[in-house]
């Protein structure tokens, strides 16, 4: 892009530009040049790199920048040449779990990097396998560096509700709309390490809801005060005040909630047509803001939390698995006895096989 560098082959493309090999004119030394087609984004990354220049890049496992310059409508940042990314490393292993000695080395180096950034009050904001790179797998197989500071920021500049990071590496405080600080990077790093350990990401990431649902499955409900003060908590949770055990519960997707209620095994608990017609999935009242929910100013009473509607489990599964905890509409019927049937009573059977997986329930094209 100019008299300073001779561009070679392109190595990859990101949100704002491309990365290519380059050599300085009159030199055989190879660098990586990031050509950013958004001048504002390029300038912000340049400013971030100026801030972290106070840290020794080799000691703190951070990518080293050599220079930056503008060429026409592009911002060009010249970095040291590194090897493959951690994402490539995982892919080449066909997503098999990494060895503990490898995970330990990666964890130690990235913790050093985050510790250095924290010392100068910088939040990286985009920790993921694609932004962790090996330096040289031939001469130093387990040496890594953290790259891409295009979204780095002083956390004090972030407002509550700021959207950042990508799923599945997005911290719960980002999703729930809580105050943000450098600890969001620690969450992302933990997800990266878990991915290395099990060979896949620990949470489903098709949506923020699926991520929160997976988090609840694995770790249980967030603390009451976090849900109370979260700007977006009610997008994922409901506070049940009129309950024998007042507390927070995870919202159920409308379509699954409806089907689960209609498919109740016990006919006495099965949803009636009139109840189904008033369901949010049919009326879509939730889209117009007419769905009744607890006021945001309400403070939960006591510390008791209602059991989540998804059973906590240690299984790191991406497959939706409806639990038996969904609330069922009460339905009284005096024709049904209150005592259990006699042992010789014939069980209720059906000639139809009812699918239970969401994919089967959606049907073709669903």
């Amino acid at each position: 892009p100019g008299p300073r560098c001779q561009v070679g082959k392109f190595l990859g493309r990101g949100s704002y530009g491309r990365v290519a090999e380059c050599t300085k004119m009159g030199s055989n030394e190879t660098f990586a040049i990031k050509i950013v087609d958004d001048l504002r984004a390029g300038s912000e990354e340049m400013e971030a790199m100026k801030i972290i220049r106070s840290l020794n890049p080799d000691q703190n496992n951070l990518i080293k920048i050599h220079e930056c310059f503008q060429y026409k409508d592009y911002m060009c940042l010249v970095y040291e040449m590194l090897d493959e990314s951690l994402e490539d490393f995982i892919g080449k292993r066909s997503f098999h779990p990494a060895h503990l000695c490898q995970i330990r080395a990666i964890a130690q180096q990235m913790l050093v990097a985050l510790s250095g950034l924290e010392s100068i009050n910088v939040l990286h904001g985009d920790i993921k396998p694609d932004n962790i790179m090996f330096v040289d797998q031939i001469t130093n197989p387990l040496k890594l560096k953290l790259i891409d500071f295009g979204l780095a920021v002083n956390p004090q500049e972030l407002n509550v509700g700021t959207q950042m990071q990508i799923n599945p590496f997005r911290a719960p405080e980002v999703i729930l709309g809580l105050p943000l600080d450098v600890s969001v990077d620690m969450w992302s790093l933990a997800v990266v390490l878990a991915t290395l350990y099990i060979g896949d990401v620990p949470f489903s990431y098709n949506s923020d809801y699926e991520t929160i649902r997976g988090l609840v499955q694995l770790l249980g409900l967030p603390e009451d005060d976090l849900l109370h003060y979260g700007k977006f908590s009610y997008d994922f949770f409901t506070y049940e005040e009129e309950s024998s055990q007042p507390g927070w519960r995870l919202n159920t997707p409308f379509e699954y909630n409806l089907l689960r209620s209609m498919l109740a095994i016990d006919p006495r608990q099965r949803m009636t047509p009139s109840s189904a017609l008033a369901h949010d999935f049919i009326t879509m009242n939730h889209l117009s803001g007419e769905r009744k929910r607890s006021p945001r100013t309400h403070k939960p009473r006591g510390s008791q939390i209602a059991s989540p509607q998804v059973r906590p489990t240690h299984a790191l599964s991406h497959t939706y698995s409806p639990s038996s905890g969904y609330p069922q509409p009460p339905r009284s019927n005096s024709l049904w006895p209150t005592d259990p049937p006699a042992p010789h009573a014939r069980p209720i059977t059906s000639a139809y096989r009812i699918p239970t997986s969401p994919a089967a329930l959606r049907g073709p094209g669903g």
Side-chain angles (χ1 to χ4, degrees):
R4 305 184 186 194
C5 298
Q6 179 67 45
V7 175
K9 66 177 180 179
F10 283 93
L11 304 173
R13 185 175 185 87
S15 301
Y16 293 109
R18 295 169 291 175
V19 178
E21 285 185 1
C22 77
T23 55
K24 287 188 176 181
M25 301 298 290
S27 169
N28 293 324
E29 191 174 0
T30 303
F31 300 91
I33 183 169
K34 186 174 183 179
I35 306 169
V36 184
D37 50 24
D38 184 314
L39 286 177
R40 179 178 177 181
S43 298
E44 290 175 351
E45 182 168 351
M46 178 184 67
E47 292 301 319
M49 294 308 298
K50 286 181 180 179
I51 294 174
I52 69 171
R53 268 185 169 176
S54 60
L55 300 173
N56 184 303
D58 292 322
Q59 292 179 359
N60 290 277
N61 304 315
L62 307 172
I63 191 169
K64 186 186 302 180
I65 188 169
H66 291 278
E67 64 174 310
C68 58
F69 57 90
Q70 183 177 342
Y71 176 73
K72 296 183 178 179
D73 293 330
Y74 299 95
M75 185 64 70
C76 302
L77 300 98
V78 181
Y79 291 101
E80 65 177 316
M81 177 65 76
L82 299 177
D83 206 324
E84 69 177 2
S85 70
L86 194 57
E87 182 177 20
D88 294 331
F89 171 80
I90 295 172
K92 286 182 177 180
R93 293 176 55 85
S94 300
F95 298 92
H96 290 302
H99 296 293
L100 286 179
C101 60
Q102 295 173 318
I103 297 175
R104 184 181 298 109
I106 294 168
Q108 190 273 337
Q109 292 175 82
M110 289 302 100
L111 289 171
V112 168
L114 294 189
S115 179
L117 294 178
E118 184 179 14
S119 70
I120 58 173
N121 204 26
V122 170
L123 182 154
H124 183 278
D126 198 20
I127 305 288
K128 56 185 180 181
D130 200 32
N131 285 337
I132 299 173
M133 295 195 71
F134 291 91
V135 174
D136 188 331
Q137 292 199 81
I138 297 177
T139 61
N140 201 345
L142 285 179
K143 176 65 175 176
L144 299 104
K145 286 195 172 185
L146 182 62
I147 71 166
D148 197 347
F149 288 82
L151 299 178
V153 66
N154 183 326
Q156 295 176 352
E157 299 175 4
L158 296 175
N159 297 320
V160 172
T162 296
Q163 294 299 298
M164 61 188 307
Q165 303 176 301
I166 64 167
N167 269 332
F169 307 101
R170 184 174 293 149
E173 58 266 37
V174 176
I175 299 175
L176 297 177
L178 290 162
L180 305 176
D181 58 25
V182 294
S183 62
V184 303
D185 283 341
M186 278 294 288
W187 176 274
S188 299
L189 177 58
V191 177
V192 170
L193 297 177
T195 301
L196 289 166
Y197 183 71
I198 64 176
D200 202 353
V201 291
F203 306 119
S204 180
Y205 55 93
N206 293 325
S207 66
D208 281 342
Y209 173 81
E210 289 298 327
T211 299
I212 288 292
R213 183 179 177 277
L215 185 154
V216 171
Q217 279 187 306
L218 184 64
L219 304 174
L221 282 172
E223 286 75 6
D224 274 17
D225 60 334
L226 296 182
L227 294 178
H228 174 63
Y229 290 110
K231 187 176 181 179
F232 308 124
S233 293
Y234 279 98
D235 292 344
F236 311 99
F237 298 91
T238 296
Y239 187 83
E240 292 188 335
E241 188 172 8
E242 298 177 1
S243 171
S244 59
Q245 289 185 317
W248 294 92
R249 71 169 181 83
L250 181 68
N251 294 338
T252 304
F254 298 120
E255 64 272 25
Y256 294 149
N257 177 281
L258 174 64
L259 290 172
R260 183 72 184 180
S261 299
M262 293 172 66
L263 292 172
I265 299 298
D266 186 345
R268 295 166 295 180
Q269 298 297 320
R270 197 168 297 148
M271 179 176 273
T272 63
S274 58
S275 297
L277 285 171
H279 193 277
D280 280 338
F281 180 70
I282 302 298
T283 64
M284 295 191 294
N285 284 341
H286 63 288
L287 299 179
S288 60
E290 297 177 21
R291 182 167 179 252
K292 183 179 179 182
R293 69 184 187 183
S294 303
R296 290 199 50 76
T297 55
H298 170 73
K299 280 193 174 183
R301 294 177 297 180
S303 58
Q304 194 171 25
I305 302 174
S307 299
Q309 300 311 305
V310 181
R311 292 179 179 178
T313 174
H314 293 291
L316 302 176
S317 173
H318 294 188
T319 305
Y320 181 83
S321 177
S323 74
S324 60
Y326 293 125
Q328 305 293 340
R331 184 180 181 181
S332 60
N333 192 331
S334 59
L335 297 178
W336 287 88
T338 56
D339 296 329
H344 63 274
R346 182 180 180 182
I348 299 174
T349 61
S350 171
Y352 302 97
R353 183 178 180 183
I354 302 176
T356 57
S357 70
L361 290 171
R362 285 195 296 268

